[in-house]
Amino acid sequence: MTILLQLVAAVGWRGLIAGVVGAALSAVAAYPAGRLVERAVCKERIVRRLAEVELQNQETRNARIQEALDARRTVRHGNASAADGGLPDDGFRRD
């Protein structure tokens, strides 16, 4: 309490009120800026995670396609037959 009284005595009650008002105004101005920065950070994290998931899905699809192409090449060159399981199920029906 004595520190507060010394501060009031040093700057006066008008100075103390001006300091409180200035601190309040700076807090009010900083709050939207902080929210804007936090929103941008969250958006960047979400976009990065979505890109990672899409990359994993693309790599999985590419691996399945490559596996099917390798099996077709193997069957085409006579090293294995389709009856021996040379063609994996790649999701397309061939009736």
Side-chain angles (χ1 to χ4, degrees):
M1 187 70 177
T2 59
I3 295 174
L4 182 61
L5 289 176
Q6 289 174 354
L7 182 64
V8 170
V11 296
W13 65 274
R14 289 180 186 158
L16 184 64
I17 291 175
V20 170
V21 170
L25 289 177
S26 66
V28 168
Y31 182 71
R35 287 187 64 195
L36 181 68
V37 169
E38 184 64 27
R39 192 175 298 144
V41 168
C42 288
K43 181 179 178 182
E44 188 270 331
R45 286 180 186 161
I46 291 169
V47 168
R48 182 185 306 151
R49 181 63 186 141
L50 287 174
E52 289 173 359
V53 168
E54 180 60 31
L55 181 63
Q56 290 172 352
N57 289 340
Q58 185 178 11
E59 288 175 352
T60 303
R61 285 191 304 265
N62 287 345
R64 288 180 64 210
I65 291 169
Q66 188 61 42
E67 182 182 343
L69 290 174
D70 290 342
R72 287 179 187 155
R73 280 189 214 107
T74 302
V75 169
R76 190 174 299 146
H77 295 304
N79 296 338
S81 66
D84 295 335
L87 288 173
D89 182 18
D90 58 358
F92 296 103
R93 290 188 57 178
R94 295 176 183 85
D95 292 336

